[in-house]
Amino acid sequence: MSVIRWCALLAAASLVTACGGGPDGAGGPPQASSSPIPDTSAIVKAVQKDAQLAGGLPAAITQAGKLKLASNIQSAPNNFYSADGKTPIGFEVDIAKAIGAKLGLTVAHEDMAFGSLITSLQSGRIDLTMAGMNDTAERQKQIDFVDYFQSGITMMVRKGNPDGIAGPDSLCGKAVAVVQGTSHQKFAEEQSGKCVAAGKGAVTATATDSDTQNQNQLRTGRVAVLLNDLPSAVYISKTAGDGQFFDVVAGEPINGGPYGIGVNKENKGLSEAVRGALQALIADGTYGKILEAWGVQSGAVKQAGLNGGQ
């Protein structure tokens, strides 16, 4: 869900009453009570620079005075656009801004396809990625991760669950929607192999670069399931169509593990500075306040780990 296209789609159908955020990109002014978007601006603005942590930054970053951070900005409540169509908001956006503030830097968000994030990081086009990307052993071969959240794959279905989806085995013979290049796509492919090996129908995965498009496929019945991460799935099910479009299949998240802030493996100084800043935010309570404001505190980590995914 999310991006301005999400807001426009629902608004055009008179399905939501609010969709927006503030001009500073850290949450907006107080919204109507029906809005799920919190005002987190005071939390982020209260963060003070830590000179010692900032002193460990690479000289080029210090000189630039900013962190170039790329996301696939379409996954509420992680990261999405406010009603102006250009201001990123979400709990990941707030955490990134707080990390930047702790290091005495601003954060410049860049929106790009999920599948381009790692290569853009490796090429030096960007400094960091933060897009609900799972820290996995396979990805650790390409980049380093500073772990900031715990999540897992969740199955979204149409309201009332008309296809009777109860777990991974229910996907056999079904069509599912995933975002290209994600762990969701990999899981769908692996589950399809298990289904075929058991003499059941394969899982047909439709991969796109748009969560909004995937939601449309689910709503119209072209797919039976949309695979999404826990925070996004819960948020979407509560807000899309005033909670009348989708349900989340009960149960533990599939393949649970940490989200990681991606850092170029050759930039150890930056990864350590980011890890230290995040740990400081955990210790002083800022991190917890941000997650609580967005209603995703169940995914909080106690330590800012490095490459903790399996």
Side-chain angles (χ1 to χ4, degrees):
M1 177 167 69
S2 313
V3 282
I4 190 62
R5 289 172 297 181
W6 169 74
C7 298
L9 173 68
L10 299 185
S14 300
L15 297 170
V16 296
T17 58
C19 189
D24 62 357
Q31 303 287 320
S33 59
S34 60
S35 173
I37 299 173
D39 178 7
T40 55
S41 56
I43 300 172
V44 175
K45 289 177 180 178
V47 177
Q48 298 296 313
K49 176 181 178 180
D50 185 311
Q52 184 174 355
L53 289 172
L57 286 166
I61 297 290
T62 301
Q63 185 175 4
K66 67 179 180 181
L67 291 167
K68 294 180 291 184
L69 185 148
S71 299
N72 182 220
I73 307 178
Q74 61 163 320
S75 299
N78 302 32
N79 51 71
F80 59 115
Y81 285 116
S82 69
D84 64 12
K86 60 184 180 181
T87 304
I89 57 175
F91 82 83
E92 289 184 345
V93 175
D94 287 343
I95 291 173
K97 284 178 171 289
I99 288 172
K102 185 63 70 174
L103 297 174
L105 304 169
T106 59
V107 176
H109 274 82
E110 182 172 348
D111 191 359
M112 63 176 62
F114 190 90
S116 300
L117 294 174
I118 290 179
T119 54
S120 295
L121 190 61
Q122 291 174 315
S123 69
R125 175 182 172 183
I126 55 176
D127 301 314
L128 304 171
T129 66
M130 194 173 186
M133 182 180 289
N134 294 106
D135 171 3
T136 65
E138 182 176 351
R139 287 175 175 151
Q140 288 168 20
K141 298 174 183 178
Q142 300 174 287
I143 61 176
D144 285 333
F145 289 99
V146 176
D147 299 330
Y148 64 95
F149 193 79
Q150 285 284 333
S151 186
I153 300 171
T154 302
M155 293 183 286
M156 289 175 52
V157 295
R158 283 178 289 165
K159 197 71 178 180
N161 196 6
D163 293 295
I165 303 300
D169 290 343
S170 303
L171 299 180
C172 297
K174 299 291 195 303
V176 305
V178 298
V179 172
Q180 182 76 36
T182 62
S183 59
H184 313 151
Q185 182 179 15
K186 182 178 179 181
F187 164 73
E189 293 169 351
E190 292 173 346
Q191 184 61 33
S192 184
K194 293 178 181 178
C195 290
V196 172
K200 302 178 181 179
V203 178
T204 303
T206 300
T208 76
D209 284 327
S210 170
D211 194 56
T212 305
Q213 183 176 343
N214 289 347
Q215 288 178 57
N216 289 337
Q217 292 190 85
L218 180 58
R219 280 189 58 205
T220 56
R222 291 196 293 273
V223 299
V225 175
L226 192 166
L227 298 179
N228 217 326
D229 280 3
L230 175 62
S232 294
V234 171
Y235 184 93
I236 293 166
S237 67
K238 289 181 178 178
T239 57
D242 288 333
Q244 298 305 306
F245 286 169
F246 307 116
D247 282 331
V248 172
V249 176
E252 291 295 318
I254 302 163
N255 296 345
Y259 284 168
I261 300 170
V263 190
N264 191 303
K265 293 188 79 69
E266 297 180 0
N267 210 342
K268 302 298 184 183
L270 179 57
S271 60
E272 187 54 36
V274 170
R275 190 204 63 77
L278 178 58
Q279 188 59 50
L281 296 169
I282 293 172
D284 69 18
T286 301
Y287 168 83
K289 291 177 182 177
I290 290 171
L291 296 190
E292 186 173 359
W294 286 97
V296 294
Q297 60 270 28
S298 62
V301 297
K302 296 181 179 180
Q303 297 290 326
L306 184 66
N307 295 328
Q310 302 298 316

